[in-house]
Amino acid sequence: MLFTTNKYRTIALLAFILILIAAICASVVYGYTNTSWSMAYKAFTDFNGSNEHLVLRNVRLPRALIAAVVGASLGVAGALMQAMTKNPLASPGIFGVNAGAGFFVVCALFFFHIGSLQAVAWISFAGAAFAASAVYFIGSLGREGLTPVKLTLAGAAMSALFSSLTQGMLSVNEAALEQALFWLAGSVQGRDLSLLLSVLPYIVPAFIISFLLGSKINVLTMGEEVAKSLGQKTWLVKALMALSIILLAGGSVAVAGPIGFIGIVIPHFAKFIVGHDHRWVLPYCAVLGAILLVAADIGARYLIMPEEVPVGVMTAIIGIPIFVYIARRGFQH
């Protein structure tokens, strides 16, 4: 833990917010189309209708904002899942929540031809809820009850199941195969701001609920019996945490597809900085998750330029070594 006092935690959080703003600005300026900082400034203060100004206003700014919101959502969802399951490997990607939401969306798009943004968002939420419920149920089976290892294995199994079913469906709809596979790899490229606006009414309340639950989550992590003895309604806290996870993860998948590893990596970074106080961990997860995904999206533009790598591939490159380290440390202790 780097910062032990609220004063330094606040200063560090403000510093990370400034870094996030700088990253969003950089995301607007840098890319395949050659633009500069002065050109970006004029695009928003003295718009002239040029191709560069159109790219800056209508392509890169929405892309940067979507990356920031999705990264923040996945970071907070991962922290909530790790707190609720007491599993350091818990995240929407590892536990199959992202895969379940993606499977439901693909079903809706290619079999029922549902094109409404609002409908896609609700279907994504339903898929996230179904996957989370299935993993929790499977992980609870057996004499030992719910354990971190069983939850991880159940999540991996459900993720593989949903991914296989999704690929099987796409094989019978080859016309949409390329587009769907790019979406399923996780990407913020080409996403319209209206798609983000369609899920914000669900994501914003989930953020608010999560931050308000910070102190109650601290009590819950001390043990359910301790929490109950202190008068906490643990079932209500868990229900609100589960609702927030579904809204945050489902909304993220509806906008950008399943993006992995942010939900598992970011909470550990946040805890390294501020400790295990979730009143601070959750806001830090939001800011750090946004920074990571915006930075990964910038890197995705340059890796094989002029082509782009899906940002989900970039987060996997970053996240896999850290995931292996956390897994080894988590299961050894």
Side-chain angles (χ1 to χ4, degrees):
M1 181 170 54
L2 294 180
F3 303 113
T4 57
T5 65
N6 289 346
K7 175 184 175 181
Y8 289 115
R9 289 170 176 172
T10 302
I11 293 172
L13 183 61
L14 292 174
F16 281 121
I17 291 173
L18 291 177
I19 293 173
L20 173 59
I21 294 171
I24 291 173
C25 293
S27 179
V28 172
V29 173
Y30 296 114
Y32 180 69
T33 301
N34 189 23
T35 55
S36 64
W37 289 89
S38 61
M39 189 182 296
Y41 176 77
K42 290 180 180 178
F44 295 99
T45 59
D46 187 21
F47 181 67
N48 61 17
S50 65
N51 179 62
E52 289 80 5
H53 281 198
L54 286 171
V55 169
L56 289 165
R57 289 169 63 104
N58 300 335
V59 178
R60 290 191 187 161
L61 179 62
R63 179 173 180 169
L65 294 176
I66 288 171
V69 172
V70 170
S73 299
L74 293 173
V76 173
L80 291 174
M81 291 188 75
Q82 291 177 16
M84 188 166 70
T85 63
K86 297 181 177 62
N87 186 343
L89 300 179
S91 74
I94 300 299
F95 275 24
V97 176
N98 286 351
F103 170 70
F104 272 52
V105 170
V106 169
C107 284
L109 291 176
F110 300 127
F111 286 96
F112 302 102
H113 307 291
I114 295 175
S116 166
L117 297 179
Q118 201 76 1
V120 168
W122 277 105
I123 291 166
S124 182
F125 296 143
F130 179 81
S133 301
V135 170
Y136 191 86
F137 173 75
I138 294 172
S140 301
L141 297 175
R143 293 181 179 178
E144 301 88 358
L146 200 65
T147 66
V149 174
K150 288 171 63 178
L151 270 176
T152 304
L153 294 175
M158 292 304 297
S159 182
L161 173 63
F162 285 126
S163 297
S164 299
L165 292 174
T166 300
Q167 298 301 325
M169 287 192 301
L170 293 177
S171 66
V172 301
N173 195 333
E174 294 183 6
L177 179 61
E178 183 177 350
Q179 178 185 359
L181 286 178
F182 191 79
W183 177 78
L184 288 170
S187 176
V188 294
Q189 179 187 3
R191 301 299 196 265
D192 193 81
L193 195 59
S194 60
L195 190 56
L196 175 63
L197 295 176
S198 70
V199 299
L200 276 183
Y202 312 108
I203 289 178
V204 171
F207 276 127
I208 295 172
I209 292 172
S210 301
F211 296 156
L212 292 176
L213 285 176
S215 59
K216 298 185 182 302
I217 294 174
N218 288 340
V219 176
L220 185 63
T221 55
M222 296 169 62
E224 193 157 345
E225 295 301 322
V226 174
K228 288 180 178 179
S229 68
L230 294 174
Q232 185 182 97
K233 296 180 179 178
T234 56
W235 66 268
L236 179 59
V237 175
K238 288 183 177 180
L240 291 173
M241 291 171 69
L243 176 63
S244 298
I245 291 167
I246 290 166
L247 293 177
L248 292 169
S252 298
V253 172
V255 174
I259 297 177
F261 294 102
I262 290 180
I264 185 172
V265 169
I266 290 300
H268 290 277
F269 280 146
K271 291 171 186 175
F272 173 74
I273 296 171
V274 297
H276 293 267
D277 186 345
H278 285 82
R279 293 174 299 176
W280 290 98
V281 167
L282 294 172
Y284 267 83
C285 283
V287 177
L288 293 173
I291 292 172
L292 176 59
L293 192 55
V294 173
D297 183 47
I298 296 173
R301 304 173 195 180
Y302 288 93
L303 195 62
I304 55 171
M305 187 179 275
E307 299 297 326
E308 288 195 21
V309 174
V311 72
V313 175
M314 292 296 295
T315 58
I317 292 172
I318 297 169
I320 287 175
I322 300 173
F323 169 78
V324 172
Y325 169 75
I326 294 170
R328 287 172 59 87
R329 188 186 65 180
F331 290 134
Q332 284 173 356
H333 291 285

